[in-house]
Amino acid sequence: MIINIAIDGPAGAGKSTVAKAAAKELGYIYVDTGALYRAVGVNALREGLNTKDAQAITGSLEKITVELKFENGSQQVYLNGSNVSEEIRTPAASMAASDVSAIPAVRSFLFDLQRDIAKHNNCIMDGRDIGTVVLPDARVKIFLTASPEVRAKRRYDELIAKGADVDFKKVLEELIERDYNDSHREIAPLKPAQDSVTVNTDDLSLEQSINMVVSVIKEKLQ
Ligand code: DC
């Protein structure tokens, strides 16, 4: 039987790092659904579209293809046949992804792709609405969270390590704006599923967060 695990939570809670490590330990594939929304956002930026313009963004979906491929166990995202896995990680792409993700047509455009991967693979899927909408029957649901300041500090350190020239206050402001957008949109807003386990990583190191999540999963799978 296929086993699906949902990990949802706000930006910068450590979902991708924690989910990736947990998937490796369990021998499952790791699916980062944010990458899909980021690819749609990057397409809008490339086309010079207003990322909040639902009509323009909906129209742009007719001409694009978004695919996920798993190469050597790691997820790669393709937009119109080319690999955009790096390009989707900029702060501009983060905000564009948050904007386009509030548009119903974008969510339905990406829905089947996510469902299809989960149907055929044991996976840990991370996002905002995995436990609530995409995989309501997931065997384990985790809501991974931390305070905005702690999350912004992690994001800031990550960007600095990549050599980006960023300002902490700006990173924090953008994160708070994205939290607001993601949790107040009408469709599939970010919220814990009723049957999820919340893990707050404020006082946990990365290693402790991974251990905590892996132990919640193992306990629930028993
Ligand atoms: O997880 P992330 O930061 O890469 O996600 C980028 C944006 O995509 C996020 O701000 C909201 C949106 N998103 C979503 O609406 N639903 C998901 N399942 C995953 C991401």
Side-chain angles (χ1 to χ4, degrees), residues 148-149 151 171-181:
E149 289 73 19
R151 291 185 284 119
V171 173
L172 177 61
E173 274 167 19
E174 285 190 358
L175 185 126
I176 290 172
E177 188 181 341
R178 211 141 70 86
D179 279 359
Y180 187 86
N181 283 348

Side-chain angles (χ1 to χ4, degrees), residues 116-134:
D116 202 54
I117 296 172
K119 198 170 157 194
H120 297 106
N121 299 278
N122 287 334
C123 68
I124 299 190
M125 190 172 275
D126 90 22
R128 303 291 187 285
D129 62 337
I130 308 305
T132 50
V133 176
V134 179

Side-chain angles (χ1 to χ4, degrees), residues 37-187:
Y37 294 90
R38 286 170 179 269
V40 174
V42 161
N43 181 71
L45 295 176
R46 281 185 182 173
E47 304 259 313
L49 302 175
N50 173 351
T51 50
K52 291 189 198 299
D53 181 340
Q55 209 178 342
I57 300 298
T58 301
S60 76
L61 298 173
E62 281 170 27
K63 294 167 290 190
I64 66 171
T65 58
V66 176
E67 296 160 281
L68 288 186
K69 297 186 184 173
F70 296 88
E71 297 168 3
N72 301 323
S74 118
Q75 172 186 300
Q76 304 291 320
V77 58
Y78 285 76
L79 171 65
N80 300 331
S82 62
N83 191 328
V84 291
S85 306
E86 285 288 319
E87 193 179 340
I88 59 169
R89 296 294 157 199
T90 62
S94 303
M95 203 50 92
S98 181
D99 285 345
V100 300
S101 74
I103 300 169
V106 172
R107 304 203 73 84
S108 52
F109 176 72
L110 299 172
F111 185 80
D112 289 346
L113 198 161
Q114 299 169 73
R115 282 289 279 261
D116 202 54
I117 296 172
K119 198 170 157 194
H120 297 106
N121 299 278
N122 287 334
C123 68
I124 299 190
M125 190 172 275
D126 90 22
R128 303 291 187 285
D129 62 337
I130 308 305
T132 50
V133 176
V134 179
L135 304 175
D137 298 326
R139 275 283 291 282
V140 185
K141 297 180 185 178
I142 292 173
F143 194 79
L144 196 70
T145 190
S147 68
E149 289 73 19
V150 167
R151 291 185 284 119
K153 176 74 171 62
R154 290 180 189 154
R155 195 41 64 90
Y156 172 80
D157 290 346
E158 237 171 66
L159 290 165
I160 292 288
K162 278 192 199 166
D165 177 21
V166 282
D167 171 54
F168 176 73
K169 238 180 103 195
K170 184 133 191 286
V171 173
L172 177 61
E173 274 167 19
E174 285 190 358
L175 185 126
I176 290 172
E177 188 181 341
R178 211 141 70 86
D179 279 359
Y180 187 86
N181 283 348
D182 295 349
S183 50
H184 286 80
R185 65 180 178 226
E186 264 170 48
I187 178 165

